[in-house]
């Protein structure tokens, strides 16, 4: 059974930083795509950052470009999201997602096969 587990969420003041981690277990292969999504209360889930196997060009939402950095370890099927200069509007539940197949660092949620339970990020003003 494949499981994704996020960690690293918490409460931070605006301008602060957090680092989220995602660890996958139960999967023998390498995910072709991994991504971070977030969902704030009353809002739709949105893609934040995604990274494709073998690429040096991750995909970032415009709202986080220059502030967030995604990284992954292909051999270990782990992923991280370094978040800096956090803003109150970054407050949301953050989810890790992984895909067995497909192309590109997509934000299409339907293209991901596995999801974590989420980790809460709260940014106070």
């Amino acid at each position: 059974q494949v499981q994704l587990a996020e960690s690293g969420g918490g409460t931070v003041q605006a301008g602060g930083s957090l680092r989220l981690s995602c660890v996958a277990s139960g999967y023998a292969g390498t995910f072709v795509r991994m991504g971070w999504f977030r969902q704030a209360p009353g809002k739709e889930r949105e893609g934040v950052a995604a990274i494709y196997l073998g690429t040096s060009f991750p995909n970032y939402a415009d709202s986080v470009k220059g502030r967030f950095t995604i990284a992954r370890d292909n051999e270990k099927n782990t992923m991280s999201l370094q978040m800096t200069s956090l803003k109150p509007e970054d407050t949301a539940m953050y989810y890790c997602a992984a895909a067995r197949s497909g192309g590109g660092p997509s934000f299409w949620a339907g293209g991901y096969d596995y999801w974590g339970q989420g980790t809460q990020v709260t940014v106070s003003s």
Side-chain angles (χ1 to χ4, degrees):
Q1 182 179 0
V2 177
Q3 292 185 326
L4 302 180
E6 304 97 335
S7 62
T11 299
V12 65
Q13 288 189 333
S17 300
L18 283 174
R19 184 177 184 272
L20 305 184
S21 295
C22 174
V23 177
S25 60
Y27 188 67
T30 301
F31 296 118
V32 297
R33 177 173 58 247
M34 299 186 76
W36 289 97
F37 291 75
R38 67 185 181 187
Q39 187 167 19
K43 295 188 177 180
E44 293 186 354
R45 180 174 50 187
E46 63 174 348
V48 175
I51 188 165
Y52 186 68
L53 179 67
T55 184
S56 299
F57 300 99
N59 188 19
Y60 294 100
D62 288 342
S63 59
V64 307
K65 282 181 180 177
R67 300 188 298 121
F68 291 10
T69 302
I70 188 172
R72 64 176 292 180
D73 184 323
N74 294 333
E75 291 186 0
K76 297 180 180 179
N77 274 334
T78 59
M79 178 176 63
S80 64
L81 185 68
Q82 180 67 48
M83 305 185 295
T84 63
S85 302
L86 283 162
K87 304 175 181 180
E89 50 264 43
D90 294 318
T91 295
M93 184 71 78
Y94 283 71
Y95 298 92
C96 165
R100 298 190 308 266
S101 61
S106 170
F107 283 158
W108 178 51
Y112 291 82
D113 302 293
Y114 307 104
W115 293 82
Q117 294 297 309
T119 185
Q120 178 67 38
V121 171
T122 302
V123 184
S124 60
S125 57

